[in-house]
C-alpha cells in the first residue's frame, strides 16, 4: 500500500497534525485492555501542546472517548497562557464512539461519515498524520484522507517482532542475550532452554517471549532448575510453562516466540532510546530513558526517568541508532525505540538489547510534554536535554499515579494547581497530567514531573503523588 509523500519539513504556514493513537496490537492485548484504551488514546492530547511553540499548527486528535472540556482547557492554558482561547481553538478531537477492543484506525475505517468529517477538517491545508504505530489500518486511513504518515511502511511492522528484532540487533552489531528465535510450542521451548544452558551453564531463569507483544505483556519468566539446583528435564519444563501460561499465551506461542536468558547482576536496569527516522533517511536520537519495570517478574513497563543514567546513555543511544540505520535502509520512517538490559556485578558491566518497538511507546507522550513545554534538543553524546533557556531538564513519569476511582478530572487539576505543582510555563518546570479516563477505569492518572535536575523532578513527582492521593 502506498500513501502520499511526506512533506520535506515542518510547514512555515498554517498546517494540521492529525494525531492517530491507534493501538493496532494483538487481539489478546486489546481485549485485556479494552476499558483502558480511551486513557491510552488520550496520551495523544499531549500532541496538542505543540501549539505552545507553533501557533500556526492545528492539531486533531482521533479518539474513542470525548475529553472533558476542563481537560482541554487545562492543556490550552499550559500551551498558551497568553492566549488559551486561541490554543483551545487549534486543538480539536474527532470522536469515534466505539468502545470495542480495536485500534482507533480500524474503528475510523468503519465510519466513512467520520472520515469525511476529518477530511473536511484538514481541507487543503498541509497536513501529516502522527500515528502510534503503522499497520495496514493506519495506511488505509492515510490513503482515505490523502494525508501522509510520519511512519511506515506497514510491511515493515513484523520487523519489530521478537525473533526478527534479535536478528536485526545482531545484523547491526548490537549485543543480545543468549537465546533462541522462532520457537513454536512447548517442546521447542524445552529444546531452546537446553541450547541456552550449553552456552550459559549457570543460568537459573529464562524469559519466554511471544513474537508479537508489547509493554512486557507476552513475557513469561521460567525457572530452569529444580530445588536442588539441577537443570530441569524437558517434561518438567513443559509442565511448569503449562501451569504458568494462560491458554492465549500457549495459542499465540504457536505463531512464534523467543526464549532468552534472564539478564541478572547485582544491579539490573532497563534503559531505552527513542529514535526518529526522517523522510530522507536521517537517523536522529530523540531521547534516552530509564524504564521503570514492575509486575510479578519485573517485565511490565510502569514509568520512566529521563534521561538515562549517564554511564549508559551514550552507548544505548549508539545501539538504537545502529538499529535505526538498518531499518532506514529498508525504508522505515518515523519513531522507534530500543530497550536494553544493563547489568552490573563482579563480571563488570554488560548491556544487551532486549526489545525493539517499531512505533511510539510508553515514553513517547512524556517526551512530547517535555519537547513542547520546555523545548530544546537532546544531546546524545552527553545524554542531556539542552533547553532553549540554556538549562537542562529532567523528568520522572508514570501512567499510574493513584488518586481514587471516580474522582473528576477537574478536581484533580484543581488540586495540583492549588498545591503549586502544576507546570509553570514561565519557569518551564512542574507537573503535567495525562490519561484522565483512567480515573474512572482504574482510579489513577498519568503524571510527568519536569525539573531542572533529576532530584527536582523526583521531588515534584513525589509531591504530586501525595497531593493527588488526597484529592
Amino acid at each position: 500500500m502506498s500513501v502520499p509523500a511526506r512533506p520535506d519539513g515542518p510547514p512555515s504556514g498554517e498546517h494540521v497534525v492529525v494525531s492517530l493513537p491507534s493501538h493496532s496490537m494483538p487481539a489478546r492485548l486489546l481485549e485485556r485492555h479494552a476499558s483502558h484504551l480511551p486513557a491510552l488514546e488520550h496520551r495523544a492530547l499531549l500532541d496538542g501542546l505543540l501549539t505552545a511553540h507553533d501557533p500556526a499548527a492545528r492539531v486533531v486528535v482521533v479518539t474513542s472517548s470525548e475529553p472533558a472540556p476542563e481537560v482541554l482547557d487545562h492543556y490550552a492554558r499550559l500551551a498558551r497562557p497568553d492566549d488559551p482561547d486561541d490554543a483551545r481553538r487549534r486543538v480539536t478531537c474527532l470522536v469515534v464512539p466505539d468502545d470495542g477492543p480495536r485500534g482507533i484506525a480500524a474503528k475510523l475505517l468503519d465510519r466513512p461519515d467520520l472520515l469525511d468529517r476529518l477530511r473536511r477538517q484538514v481541507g487543503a491545508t498541509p497536513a501529516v498524520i502522527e500515528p502510534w504505530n503503522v499497520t495496514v489500518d493506519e495506511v488505509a486511513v492515510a490513503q482515505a484522507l490523502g494525508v501522509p504518515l510520519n511512519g511506515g511502511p506497514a510491511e515493515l511492522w513484523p520487523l519489530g517482532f521478537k525473533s526478527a528484532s534479535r536478528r536485526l540487533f545482531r545484523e547491526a552489531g548490537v549485543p543480545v542475550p543468549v537465546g533462541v528465535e522462532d520457537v513454536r510450542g512447548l517442546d521447542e521451548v524445552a529444546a531452546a532452554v537446553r541450547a541456552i544452558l550449553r552456552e550459559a551453564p549457570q543460568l537459573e531463569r529464562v524469559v519466554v517471549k511471544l513474537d508479537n507483544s508489547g509493554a512486557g505483556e507476552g513475557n513469561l519468566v521460567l525457572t530452569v532448575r529444580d530445588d536442588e539446583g539441577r537443570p530441569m528435564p524437558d517434561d518438567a519444563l513443559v509442565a511448569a510453562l503449562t501451569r504458568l501460561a494462560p491458554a492465549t499465551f500457549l495459542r499465540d506461542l504457536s505463531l512464534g516466540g523467543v526464549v532468552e536468558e534472564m539478564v541478572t547482576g547485582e544491579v539490573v536496569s532497563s534503559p531505552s532510546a527513542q529514535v526518529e527516522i526522517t523522510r530522507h533517511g536521517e537517523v536522529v536520537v530523540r531521547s534516552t530513558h530509564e524504564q521503570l519495570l514492575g509486575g510479578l517478574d519485573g517485565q511490565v513497563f510502569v514509568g520512566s526517568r529521563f534521561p538515562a543514567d549517564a554511564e549508559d546513555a551514550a552507548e544505548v543511544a549508539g545501539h538504537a541508532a545502529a538499529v535505526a540505520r538498518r531499518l532506514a535502509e529498508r525504508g522505515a520512517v518515523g519513531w522507534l525505540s530500543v530497550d536494553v538490559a544493563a547489568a552490573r556485578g563482579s563480571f563488570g558491566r554488560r548491556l544487551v538489547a532486549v526489545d525493539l518497538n517499531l512505533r511510539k511507546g510508553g515514553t513517547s507522550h512524556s517526551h512530547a510534554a517535555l519537547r513542547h513545554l520546555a523545548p530544546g534538543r537532546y544531546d546524545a553524546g552527553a545524554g542531556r536535554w539542552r533547553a532553549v533557556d540554556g538549562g537542562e531538564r529532567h523528568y520522572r513519569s508514570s501512567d499510574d499515579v493513584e488518586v481514587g476511582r471516580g474522582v473528576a478530572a477537574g478536581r484533580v487539576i484543581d488540586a495540583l494547581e492549588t498545591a503549586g505543582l502544576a507546570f509553570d510555563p514561565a519557569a518551564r518546570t512542574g507537573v503535567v497530567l495525562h490519561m484522565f479516563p483512567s480515573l474512572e477505569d482504574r482510579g489513577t492518572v498519568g503524571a510527568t514531573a519536569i525539573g531542572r535536575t533529576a532530584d527536582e523532578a523526583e521531588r515534584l513527582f513525589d509531591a504530586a503523588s501525595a497531593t493527588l492521593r488526597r484529592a
Side-chain angles (χ1 to χ4, degrees):
M1 287 184 170
S2 62
V3 297
R6 291 178 62 211
D8 289 334
S12 56
E14 185 86 5
H15 55 283
V16 180
V17 176
V18 178
S19 186
L20 187 66
S22 184
H23 295 77
S24 300
M25 302 295 285
R28 71 177 186 280
L29 295 182
L30 291 170
E31 290 167 3
R32 179 175 178 180
H33 296 289
S35 65
H36 198 50
L37 283 177
L40 296 174
E41 293 166 2
H42 278 206
R43 298 187 301 192
L45 292 173
L46 294 176
D47 288 342
L49 297 175
L50 170 67
T51 57
H53 55 86
D54 189 352
R58 286 192 290 120
V59 179
V60 182
V61 180
V62 185
T63 176
S64 60
S65 174
E66 182 83 53
E70 55 266 34
V71 171
L72 295 176
D73 290 343
H74 170 64
Y75 287 142
R77 292 194 302 272
L78 285 178
R80 295 287 303 281
D82 59 324
D83 194 352
D85 290 340
D86 181 65
R88 184 69 172 79
R89 285 190 296 269
R90 289 185 173 275
V91 180
T92 57
C93 293
L94 179 75
V95 179
V96 184
D98 183 338
D99 60 2
R102 295 188 298 159
I104 197 68
K107 296 175 182 179
L108 182 58
L109 290 169
D110 283 347
R111 293 291 303 268
D113 57 324
L114 296 180
L115 270 171
D116 189 56
R117 184 188 304 176
L118 181 54
R119 193 179 297 111
R120 292 195 303 270
Q121 284 181 281
V122 173
T125 308
V128 66
I129 296 173
E130 281 289 345
W132 189 78
N133 57 200
V134 179
T135 68
V136 292
D137 287 339
E138 291 72 34
V139 170
V141 169
Q143 289 177 316
L145 297 176
V147 173
L149 280 164
N150 182 27
E155 53 265 28
L156 296 183
W157 176 242
L159 290 180
F161 293 1
K162 300 299 186 287
S163 294
S165 61
R166 278 179 58 90
R167 288 190 285 269
L168 190 62
F169 291 150
R170 289 197 296 266
E171 178 187 325
V174 175
V176 295
V178 178
V180 178
E181 299 96 44
D182 300 312
V183 172
R184 290 174 172 82
L186 296 172
D187 290 340
E188 292 190 17
V189 169
V193 169
R194 290 199 308 273
I196 292 169
L197 285 174
R198 285 195 292 271
E199 191 168 345
Q202 303 306 313
L203 191 69
E204 295 184 353
R205 294 186 295 171
V206 299
V207 186
V208 184
K209 301 179 178 181
L210 298 178
D211 265 344
N212 188 7
S213 58
E217 298 195 63
N219 293 3
L220 281 179
V221 175
L222 181 65
T223 299
V224 299
R225 296 183 181 278
D226 63 19
D227 293 342
E228 304 298 323
R230 297 167 300 198
M232 293 172 63
D234 288 5
D235 58 349
L237 286 170
V238 167
L241 186 56
T242 303
R243 287 193 302 271
L244 284 172
T248 53
F249 185 98
L250 298 178
R251 181 196 66 205
D252 288 351
L253 182 61
S254 67
L255 303 176
V258 304
V259 182
E260 62 185 27
E261 63 169 310
M262 180 79 170
V263 178
T264 59
E266 293 173 14
V267 178
V268 179
S269 60
S270 182
S272 70
Q274 286 187 109
V275 179
E276 186 176 13
I277 304 173
T278 72
R279 172 179 174 268
H280 298 292
E282 180 187 6
V283 170
V284 184
V285 177
R286 297 299 186 190
S287 68
T288 61
H289 290 81
E290 287 296 328
Q291 296 186 108
L292 307 178
L293 303 180
L296 183 62
D297 294 303
Q299 296 291 303
V300 179
F301 176 85
V302 296
S304 65
R305 293 187 178 93
F306 169 88
D309 288 348
E311 186 179 3
D312 298 331
E315 188 172 349
V316 171
H319 288 335
V323 174
R325 284 191 287 271
R326 295 300 186 278
L327 287 164
E329 292 168 359
R330 291 166 165 83
V333 174
W335 290 74
L336 62 95
S337 63
V338 173
D339 299 340
V340 173
R344 291 167 175 79
S346 57
F347 51 83
R349 174 174 163 272
R350 182 188 182 210
L351 267 66
V352 289
V354 294
D355 207 0
L356 168 64
N357 299 305
L358 203 54
R359 54 170 171 76
K360 293 184 178 179
T363 55
S364 300
H365 55 290
S366 50
H367 188 259
L370 173 74
R371 69 177 185 273
H372 293 323
L373 295 179
R377 69 176 185 88
Y378 182 69
D379 183 336
R384 290 290 181 266
W385 182 259
R386 310 293 188 187
V388 292
D389 62 10
E392 291 185 8
R393 291 297 186 278
H394 301 247
Y395 65 71
R396 164 76 161 88
S397 183
S398 172
D399 289 347
D400 296 296
V401 176
E402 291 186 15
V403 180
R405 185 165 294 177
V407 179
R411 185 175 174 184
V412 173
I413 293 167
D414 288 345
L416 195 72
E417 291 178 346
T418 299
L421 296 169
F423 187 85
D424 178 353
R428 291 176 173 161
T429 60
V431 180
V432 181
L433 300 176
H434 46 86
M435 296 182 72
F436 288 98
S438 282
L439 290 167
E440 186 66 30
D441 176 38
R442 299 183 177 184
T444 62
V445 72
T448 298
I450 301 172
R452 292 182 178 273
T453 65
D455 286 345
E456 182 184 16
E458 201 71 34
R459 288 195 302 271
L460 284 167
F461 182 86
D462 289 344
S465 297
T467 295
L468 297 180
R469 280 196 299 271
R470 296 193 296 268

